[in-house]
């Protein structure tokens, strides 16, 4: 008689992947029906949050009969060499579950970017699920904690593993434990922690957590281990083992897609009933995704710079306090005569309404969220009554519902609710953050859609959001009054491109918002929001007059032809003024190469003097005088002493040979073609061996394509102690790099603005950049030593080629070794620059005055009025 299974194993899949960000998609698919039968769209979703990241855990457990064998694999989104996202998968794996309970089996998977497989002991028993997590990637975490051969723990059985993120932790010896059984691993965050002496613990046996590299690390829960067992620190780090490279070193990154729901807000929110009407295209509130590879309908916004995600201060009081410190720092550094006179804005009484699909810290996929939040903070400090509006993608803490509106769109009426949170920055200065709540915004796969695709109803979602944002100043009573009609709307990127169209043809045509104005800010023209016009008629879907608004919405696409709606083009054509994130980018997008099909419209706006480029500003936290994350604070007066201390600390922390005479070069960004890795990766051996006798070191920090990550790891292996390949991202380490490095490498193929090159100059680190976009605007080159020595702040190069980069690196490194007086002069020039937001806001205030005082760009009466 055949054996009949009598027990079932409960299996939970877990994966550690620091290359995939919270809010992006991670799935496990396989032969089991609950794993989607190999169909990614039906696979088991995996989630993470700000406390467990980079560990991803499946949203459900599987019950699998004993003796079964299933195949599975992990899939995630990944940027390719062209800067586009698509699914990437790990090879198939097998999971064989033993017969009967209390059986032990071995299998541990490696994650993305780490080739090969390794084994680990696992204990399985019926109906028990205790996840065993691997820092290298997915394992089918099963049933009971691993019974690994480990050193004996004292009776408490607790090991402090908060710090076990060191890149070399796999080689570390196991620390000796005191009687309390609590291991002090605070000093294990360094990449070469094995060389550091272990501090003596007090009698209490409790480790001092002040040395944590991550500010949040002390809050991590301590895992309870079986009696007599200890967590193997060799396998709990993101360290390199033989033939592999680290996923993340010293992780202190916290970049959640959305905030964790608060209990208060959750209780206020009504649960959606089964008969709730769905958005057009919804299937149980989640529409089918549209593949951007096969059918180019719209473009989900993607992150272009890690530094945009690295802001560590978001609290309103801390931001206001930091601004006060910056003002004091300025007074200490410069005399009153040298302080620039701020622009005297003439329309401080004009309310500012900032409309963005992302808003830091509540929702973000990249730099858009950071800039939009900076607008809210800076305009409020200037004295404007300020409102910042964004969709509500989840329940947010400390938000209160203050109103609702009914929006007519897509053949129906849709109710939205407005949630409010007020940030006060000083007496009479505050920003009112408004979140538009509708079920269409709450999606598990991310803000815009799953990787490589977008939601099928994104046109509906952002048209609804734009209309709701336009209604908000009219209907929301805040502090006893509404914002009213005489406001200035600041629209950001394609998601809000239709707002100026509605403002013109839905409101002004009916004598509402007659004196209101709008500005369209282009952060990245590569994403335009294109949709099929025949599928979404201008009149019956968008509720706009097709004979008037039709031409403004018209777009072109290689897949759709003229049957296309282009939201960004509509905003460019109808807004009163168009802004970009750097002056040079405003010039580049007027060319056929840089305009992505919109160069004609942009050239026309430039001829009207209504197209302007303004460099983004940087946050006040990027200041060496007050930065709490660096080894020694410094100012212009003691820059050399400060940078020497920071350089030594950085070399020690990342396992580089401690030598102040080495030229330390840093790179921080996504590991992809667009960031210029194809230019400098082939030069590493030359830099380490031949250039100036090889008296150079390099730190490469970032994550992205596995091919580049592998090359980074191999470069570190060839040049131990001189190259650090930091595959991962830590905003604290980024601060330390910019303070301790001599040069910052940023050879991007294109960069609308860029922020790291501005951060670097504030710390006296000279950037080597490709002359494109905002890099050209923010870095002044040393083209002639006699002429430019009083103004040069870096080393820009022309032409996106390795030879051009090689030539400029020769100049920079030769100067470091042979002409220190000129090198120090350039450092001083760089630190005297002012890239902070107050200076940028002078330019914004000037544009506000010109926009409010000038004639409206378009009149609403009719097509004939505006064309003849």
């Amino acid at each position: 008689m055949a054996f009949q299974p009598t027990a079932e194993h409960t299996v939970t899949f877990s994966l550690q992947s620091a290359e995939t960000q919270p809010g992006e998609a991670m799935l496990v698919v396989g032969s089991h029906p609950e794993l989607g039968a190999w169909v990614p769209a039906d696979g088991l979703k995996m989630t993470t949050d700000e406390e467990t990241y980079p560990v991803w855990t499946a949203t459900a457990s599987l019950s699998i009969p004993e003796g079964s064998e299933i195949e599975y694999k992990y899939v995630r989104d990944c940027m390719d060499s062209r800067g586009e996202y698509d699914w990437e998968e790990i090879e198939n794996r097998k999971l064989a579950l033993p017969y009967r309970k209390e059986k032990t089996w071995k299998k541990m998977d490696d994650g993305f970017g780490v080739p090969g497989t390794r084994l680990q002991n696992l204990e399985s028993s019926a109906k028990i699920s205790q996840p065993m997590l691997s820092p290298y990637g997915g394992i089918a975490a099963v049933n009971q904690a691993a019974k690994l051969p480990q050193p004996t723990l004292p009776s408490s059985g607790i090991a402090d593993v908060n710090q076990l993120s060191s890149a070399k932790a796999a080689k570390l010896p196991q620390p000796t434990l005191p009687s309390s059984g609590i291991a002090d691993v605070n000093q294990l965050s360094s990449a070469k922690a094995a060389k550091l002496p272990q501090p003596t613990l007090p009698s209490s046996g409790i480790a001092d957590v002040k040395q944590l590299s991550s500010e949040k690390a002390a809050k991590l829960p301590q895992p309870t281990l079986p009696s007599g067992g200890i967590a193997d620190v060799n396998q709990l780090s993101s360290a390199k083992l033989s033939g592999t490279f680290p996923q993340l070193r010293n992780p202190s990154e916290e970049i959640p897609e959305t905030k964790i729901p608060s209990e208060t807000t959750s209780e206020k929110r009504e649960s959606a009933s089964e008969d709730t009407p769905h958005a057009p295209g919804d299937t149980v509130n989640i529409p089918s995704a549209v593949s951007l590879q096969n059918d180019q309908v719209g473009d989900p916004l993607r992150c272009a710079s890690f530094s945009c995600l690295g802001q560590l201060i978001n609290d309103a009081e801390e931001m206001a306090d930091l601004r006060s410190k910056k003002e004091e720092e300025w007074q200490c550094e410069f005399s009153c005569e040298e302080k620039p006179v701020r622009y005297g804005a003439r329309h401080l009484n004009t309310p500012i309404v900032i409309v963005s699909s992302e808003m830091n810290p509540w929702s973000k996929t990249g730099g858009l969220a950071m800039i939009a939040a900076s607008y809210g903070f800076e305009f409020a400090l200037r004295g404007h009554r300020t409102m910042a509006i964004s969709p509500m993608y989840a329940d947010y803490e400390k938000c209160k519902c203050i109103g609702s509106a009914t929006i007519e769109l897509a053949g129906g009426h849709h109710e939205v609710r407005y949630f409010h949170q007020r940030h006060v920055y000083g007496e009479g200065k505050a920003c009112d953050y408004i979140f538009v709540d509708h079920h269409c915004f709450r999606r598990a796969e991310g803000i815009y859609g799953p990787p490589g695709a977008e939601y099928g109803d994104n046109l509906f979602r952002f048209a609804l959001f734009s209309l709701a944002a336009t209604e908000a100043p009219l209907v929301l009573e805040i502090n006893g009054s509404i914002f009213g009609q005489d406001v200035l709307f600041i629209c950001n990127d394609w998601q809000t491109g239709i707002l100026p169209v509605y403002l013109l043809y839905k409101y002004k045509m009916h004598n509402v918002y007659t004196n209101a104005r709008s500005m369209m800010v282009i952060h990245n023209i590569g994403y335009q929001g294109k949709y099929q016009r025949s599928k979404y008629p201008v009149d019956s879907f968008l509720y706009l007059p097709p004979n008037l608004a039709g031409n403004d919405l018209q777009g072109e696409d290689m897949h759709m032809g003229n049957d296309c709606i282009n939201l960004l083009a509509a905003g460019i054509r109808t807004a009163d003024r168009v802004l970009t994130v750097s002056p040079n980018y405003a010039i580049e997008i007027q060319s056929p190469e840089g305009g992505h099909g919109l160069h004609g419209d942009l050239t026309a706006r430039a001829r009207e003097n209504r197209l302007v480029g303004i460099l983004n500003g940087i946050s006040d936290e990027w200041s060496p005088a007050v930065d709490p994350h660096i080894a020694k604070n410094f100012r212009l007066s003691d820059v050399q002493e400060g940078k020497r201390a920071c350089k030594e600390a950085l070399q020690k922390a990342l396992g580089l040979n401690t030598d102040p005479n080495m030229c330390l070069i840093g790179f921080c960004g996504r590991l992809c073609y667009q960031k210029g890795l194809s230019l400098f990766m082939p030069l590493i051996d030359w830099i380490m061996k031949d250039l100036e006798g090889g008296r150079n070191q390099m730190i490469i920090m970032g994550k992205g394509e596995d091919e580049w990550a592998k090359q980074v790891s191999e470069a570190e292996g060839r040049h131990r102690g001189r190259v650090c390949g930091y595959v991962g991202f830590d905003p604290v380490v980024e601060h330390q790099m910019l303070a301790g490095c001599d040069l910052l490498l940023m050879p991007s193929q294109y960069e609308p603005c860029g922020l790291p090159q501005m951060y670097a100059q504030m710390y006296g680190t000279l950037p080597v950049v490709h002359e494109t976009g905002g890099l050209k605007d923010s870095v002044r080159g040393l083209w002639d030593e006699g002429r430019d020595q009083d103004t040069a702040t870096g080393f820009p190069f022309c032409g996106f080629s390795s030879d051009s980069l090689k030539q400029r690196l020769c100049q920079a490194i030769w100067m470091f070794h042979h002409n220190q007086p000129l090198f120090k002069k350039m450092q001083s020039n760089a630190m005297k620059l002012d890239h902070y937001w107050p200076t940028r806001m002078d330019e914004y205030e000037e544009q506000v005055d010109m926009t409010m005082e000038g004639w409206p760009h378009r009149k609403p009466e009719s097509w004939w009025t505006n064309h003849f």
Side-chain angles (χ1 to χ4, degrees):
M1 181 177 178
F3 175 79
Q4 298 294 325
T6 58
E8 287 190 343
H9 296 282
T10 300
V11 181
T12 303
F13 290 88
S14 296
L15 173 73
Q16 178 154 330
S17 174
E19 296 180 349
T20 305
Q21 303 299 329
E24 297 180 342
M26 177 78 74
L27 305 172
V28 55
V29 299
S31 56
H32 194 280
E34 293 187 43
L35 297 181
W38 298 113
V39 178
D42 299 328
L44 187 60
K45 296 179 178 62
M46 307 188 74
T47 61
T48 187
D49 56 38
E50 60 181 341
E51 291 189 0
T52 61
Y53 179 77
V55 175
W56 299 72
T57 305
T59 55
S61 300
L62 303 185
S63 294
I64 303 176
E66 57 179 330
S68 300
E69 180 175 292
I70 64 171
E71 289 189 60
Y72 65 98
K73 63 185 176 183
Y74 297 96
V75 295
R76 68 173 176 92
D77 64 334
C78 182
M79 179 187 283
D80 59 23
S81 60
R82 299 168 297 175
E84 298 176 353
Y85 278 76
D86 203 352
W87 288 111
E88 181 188 61
E89 61 188 42
I90 305 179
E91 71 279 358
N92 292 3
R93 292 124 186 273
K94 289 186 179 180
L95 171 63
L97 298 175
Y99 288 101
R100 308 187 187 283
K101 62 181 181 178
E102 301 300 333
K103 298 284 290 185
T104 300
W105 56 279
K106 294 182 178 181
K107 181 166 181 62
M108 184 173 75
D109 299 329
D110 288 326
F112 289 94
V114 185
T117 59
R118 292 185 295 280
L119 300 178
Q120 178 171 333
N121 296 320
L122 293 176
E123 177 78 19
S124 88
S125 62
K127 293 298 181 183
I128 299 177
S129 179
Q130 298 267 352
M132 170 59 63
L133 307 179
S134 161
Y136 290 97
I139 74 162
V142 304
N143 304 345
Q144 205 172 19
K147 290 185 177 179
L148 299 171
Q150 304 290 350
T152 304
L153 261 186
S155 57
S156 70
I158 297 177
D160 184 356
V161 294
N162 287 335
Q163 310 280 331
L164 301 181
S165 61
S166 165
K168 305 292 184 180
K171 302 177 181 178
L172 299 179
Q174 298 292 338
T176 303
L177 300 178
S179 58
S180 70
I182 299 178
D184 184 359
V185 291
N186 290 327
Q187 299 187 0
L188 297 183
S189 62
S190 164
K192 299 293 186 181
K195 300 180 180 179
L196 299 178
Q198 296 295 330
T200 304
L201 284 177
S203 58
S204 66
I206 297 177
D208 181 5
V209 298
K210 292 183 179 179
Q211 300 180 25
L212 291 174
S213 60
S214 165
E215 292 186 338
K216 304 296 184 183
K219 300 180 181 179
L220 297 178
Q222 299 291 333
T224 302
L225 302 180
S227 176
I230 181 174
D232 184 357
V233 299
N234 293 331
Q235 297 185 3
L236 284 177
S237 71
S238 57
K240 292 194 295 183
L241 295 182
S242 176
T244 67
F245 54 87
Q247 291 279 342
L248 182 65
R249 302 185 187 193
N250 209 12
S252 66
E253 183 179 12
E254 289 191 338
I255 44 175
E257 180 78 21
T258 52
K259 282 290 184 181
I260 298 175
S262 67
E263 184 175 355
T264 304
T265 311
S266 300
E267 293 175 353
K268 293 181 180 179
R269 176 170 175 79
E270 301 173 0
S271 59
S273 60
E274 295 183 358
D275 57 350
T276 301
H278 301 300
D282 273 3
T283 303
V284 194
N285 204 23
I286 300 181
S288 58
V290 180
S291 170
L292 298 183
Q293 188 175 20
N294 302 321
D295 186 10
Q296 296 289 326
V297 183
D299 302 282
L301 188 66
R302 291 292 178 181
C303 171
S305 171
F306 280 113
S307 297
C308 297
L309 304 177
Q311 183 166 318
L312 299 173
I313 299 177
N314 295 310
D315 181 75
E317 292 184 4
E318 289 185 59
M319 292 170 67
D321 181 62
L322 193 57
R323 175 56 55 85
S324 298
K325 291 181 179 179
K326 279 299 302 175
E327 294 293 337
E328 294 176 4
E329 177 192 348
W330 184 273
Q331 293 175 5
C332 292
E333 290 289 342
F334 304 104
S335 64
C336 295
E337 291 77 10
E338 293 174 312
K339 289 180 63 177
V341 178
R342 296 298 181 204
Y343 175 78
R346 298 185 295 274
H347 288 80
L348 291 177
N349 292 329
T350 299
I352 303 294
V353 181
I354 299 144
V355 188
S356 174
S357 62
E358 305 175 28
M359 192 71 64
N360 183 66
W362 298 277
S363 59
K364 53 186 172 182
T365 66
L368 173 62
M370 309 299 293
I371 302 305
S374 294
Y375 287 160
F377 176 63
E378 298 295 340
F379 276 112
L381 283 186
R382 284 296 176 118
H384 291 275
R385 188 179 186 187
T386 307
M387 176 188 293
I389 310 178
S390 183
M392 192 170 191
Y393 298 106
D395 293 329
Y396 299 149
E397 296 177 351
K398 301 178 182 179
C399 289
K400 179 182 179 182
C401 183
I402 61 171
S404 63
T406 300
I407 307 298
E408 191 174 15
L409 184 68
H413 294 81
H414 310 272
E415 183 180 0
V416 299
R417 297 193 298 166
Y418 299 99
F419 282 79
H420 174 245
Q421 185 176 133
R422 185 176 178 84
H423 283 196
V424 179
Y425 306 117
E427 185 176 355
K429 298 177 181 179
C431 179
D432 295 295
Y433 289 93
I434 302 297
F435 303 100
V436 179
D437 185 30
H438 187 267
H439 64 83
C440 72
F441 298 125
R442 296 175 180 249
R443 301 285 167 79
E445 288 84 353
I447 291 179
Y448 307 113
E454 70 164 352
Y455 297 125
D457 64 342
N458 267 359
L459 177 58
F460 169 82
R461 296 171 78 223
F462 292 111
L464 179 72
F465 168 60
S466 297
L467 280 168
T470 316
E471 286 286 314
L474 302 176
V475 301
L476 297 182
E477 184 174 321
I478 301 174
N479 281 2
S481 65
I482 63 174
F483 271 59
Q485 300 184 37
D486 299 339
V487 301
L488 172 66
F489 289 94
I490 299 180
C491 310
N492 295 273
D493 270 348
W494 67 268
Q495 299 91 338
T496 58
I498 201 170
L499 189 151
V501 183
Y502 280 122
L503 192 64
L504 184 64
Y505 295 113
K506 183 178 177 65
Y507 292 92
K508 291 191 175 185
M509 185 172 284
H510 298 92
N511 294 320
V512 180
Y513 282 128
T514 305
N515 297 321
R517 299 288 188 271
S518 63
M519 294 198 300
M520 187 77 221
V521 184
I522 303 173
H523 299 265
N524 191 334
I525 202 170
Y527 304 108
Q528 299 181 7
K530 296 181 180 180
Y531 300 95
Q532 194 170 353
R533 185 164 181 161
S534 58
K535 185 178 179 180
Y536 305 103
V538 174
D539 50 357
S540 59
F541 189 89
L542 297 175
Y543 281 46
L544 286 166
N547 58 326
L548 300 179
N551 288 334
D552 293 322
L553 289 164
Q554 183 62 49
E556 292 183 3
D557 184 79
M558 62 183 299
H559 298 280
M560 293 178 283
N562 291 327
D563 186 24
C564 176
I565 290 173
N566 188 318
L567 298 185
L568 183 60
I572 292 171
R573 293 164 184 161
T574 56
D576 294 295
R577 192 164 294 271
V578 180
L579 303 181
T580 68
V581 291
S582 70
N584 189 57
Y585 192 58
I587 297 173
E588 291 179 353
I589 61 178
Q590 296 179 52
S591 67
E593 297 80 9
H596 291 265
L598 299 181
H599 55 282
D601 294 304
L602 291 162
T603 301
R605 298 309 308 268
R607 289 171 180 165
E608 302 167 350
N609 291 323
R610 292 180 185 260
L611 172 62
V612 178
I614 302 175
L615 268 173
N616 285 332
I618 63 175
S619 170
D620 295 337
E621 71 180 71
W622 293 96
S623 169
V626 297
D627 193 334
H629 310 295
I630 61 178
K632 178 180 175 59
N633 293 119
F634 58 91
R635 302 175 185 270
L636 186 60
S637 57
D638 60 345
V639 56
Q640 299 306 321
E641 180 184 350
K643 284 193 70 67
R644 189 180 304 111
C646 292
K647 183 176 184 177
E648 180 181 359
L650 181 64
Q651 288 173 326
K652 289 180 179 179
L654 297 184
L656 299 176
N657 299 330
T658 304
D659 186 348
N661 297 318
M662 287 282 185
C663 182
L664 183 53
I665 308 165
F667 170 86
C668 182
R670 185 171 289 277
L671 303 182
C672 65
Y673 179 83
Q674 183 257 324
K675 293 299 179 182
L677 269 78
S678 62
L679 301 191
F680 73 82
M681 287 302 296
L683 302 180
I684 290 181
D685 290 341
W686 169 72
I687 295 172
M688 293 297 119
K689 295 179 181 179
D690 301 327
L691 185 57
E692 291 300 322
R695 293 178 293 162
N696 310 301
Q697 294 176 335
M698 181 173 286
I699 303 170
I700 305 171
M701 181 171 73
K703 49 190 175 181
E705 296 178 28
D706 294 338
E707 176 186 353
W708 293 116
K710 183 179 180 181
Q711 290 190 32
V712 169
S713 176
E714 291 172 348
E716 180 178 9
R718 293 194 304 269
H719 305 285
R720 295 288 180 184
R722 299 176 60 205
V723 174
C724 173
Y726 194 131
V727 180
F729 180 74
D730 188 332
V732 172
V733 175
E734 185 183 22
H735 281 251
Q736 296 167 352
M737 284 178 61
L738 295 179
C741 287
D742 301 299
L743 300 173
L744 176 74
L745 200 56
M746 201 168 174
S748 303
Q749 182 187 26
Y750 63 89
E751 201 73 62
C753 178
L755 295 174
Q757 81 279 5
M758 291 190 276
Y759 300 155
Q761 292 174 96
M762 298 300 96
Y763 288 77
T765 298
L766 303 183
V768 181
V769 302
H770 175 218
E771 272 202 325
T772 183
L775 301 181
K776 183 177 181 179
D777 291 315
S778 56
V779 181
R780 303 170 184 175
L782 185 72
W783 305 108
D784 183 289
E785 290 189 9
R787 180 193 65 194
D788 301 329
Q789 63 177 339
D790 292 329
T791 59
T793 63
F795 303 91
F797 63 93
C798 302
F800 188 69
S801 69
S802 290
D803 288 341
S804 299
L805 172 60
K806 193 173 184 178
Q807 180 182 10
R808 199 58 66 217
L809 275 174
C810 282
Q811 180 191 18
I813 295 176
W814 183 92
M815 186 179 299
F816 173 84
H817 287 295
H818 302 289
N819 195 348
Q820 271 289 312
L822 181 54
F823 194 87
K824 293 177 180 178
K825 174 63 175 174
M826 291 180 64
Q827 289 179 312
S828 177
N829 295 341
M831 292 187 69
K832 288 179 180 179
L833 294 178
D834 185 2
H835 288 306
Y836 297 101
W837 270 110
T839 299
R840 303 291 186 255
M841 291 307 296
D842 288 344
E843 299 180 63
Y844 274 97
E845 289 289 1
E846 184 177 5
Q847 295 303 314
V848 169
D849 288 345
M850 295 176 66
T851 303
M852 299 305 298
E853 294 171 3
W855 289 100
H857 169 58
R858 298 281 292 277
K859 297 180 181 180
E861 287 79 8
S862 70
W863 186 89
W864 298 98
T865 303
N866 291 293
H867 288 79
F868 292 95

